[in-house]
Amino acid sequence: MPTTDPFCIVKRLLLDRLIFAPGFLLLFYLVMNILEAKGWEDFERKMRRSYWTALKMNWKVWTPFTFININFVPVQFRVLFANMIALFWYAYLATVRK
């Protein structure tokens, strides 16, 4: 998105939070289910039980960090910044999926 757009910051944040976050969380659940060699029924059960809770927490946790990362962190440090947050995020997801 061009940075000359007056709502560029908001558009980037909304794109990330409303499009990418649900998709990547779904992908995380699917890949973990495959790696754990579980069946489709187990995947559906975990999705019904914890996906919405994890997605709401994703929006709460990642939204401020994404805003900071997009707007204030220099480009060369954005991946490092996101990976530091992701370390704790994946620990949370591991406990929610149990």
Side-chain angles (χ1 to χ4, degrees), residues 22-36:
F24 281 118
L25 187 59
L26 175 69
L27 185 64
F28 171 81
Y29 271 74
L30 183 63
V31 168
M32 288 304 295
N33 197 66
I34 292 169
L35 292 175
E36 292 172 349

Side-chain angles (χ1 to χ4, degrees), residues 4-60:
T4 56
D5 184 2
F7 296 105
C8 177
I9 295 168
V10 174
K11 287 179 182 178
R12 284 181 184 178
L13 191 62
L14 288 175
L15 178 70
D16 181 70
R17 302 290 69 222
L18 298 177
I19 304 297
F20 294 129
F24 281 118
L25 187 59
L26 175 69
L27 185 64
F28 171 81
Y29 271 74
L30 183 63
V31 168
M32 288 304 295
N33 197 66
I34 292 169
L35 292 175
E36 292 172 349
K38 304 281 177 122
W40 186 255
E41 295 80 22
D42 189 56
F43 173 71
E44 289 177 343
R45 186 173 47 253
K46 286 186 179 181
M47 287 295 292
R48 276 191 224 104
R49 192 183 85 230
S50 65
Y51 179 79
W52 182 242
T53 303
L55 183 59
K56 288 189 295 188
M57 185 59 76
N58 180 301
W59 288 335
K60 290 177 187 174

Side-chain angles (χ1 to χ4, degrees), residues 54-86:
L55 183 59
K56 288 189 295 188
M57 185 59 76
N58 180 301
W59 288 335
K60 290 177 187 174
V61 169
W62 278 100
T63 301
F65 290 115
T66 302
F67 180 80
I68 292 168
N69 201 17
I70 290 172
N71 296 305
F72 302 112
V73 177
V75 174
Q76 67 267 27
F77 298 122
R78 287 183 183 170
V79 173
L80 178 62
F81 180 78
N83 284 341
M84 288 181 354
I85 307 306

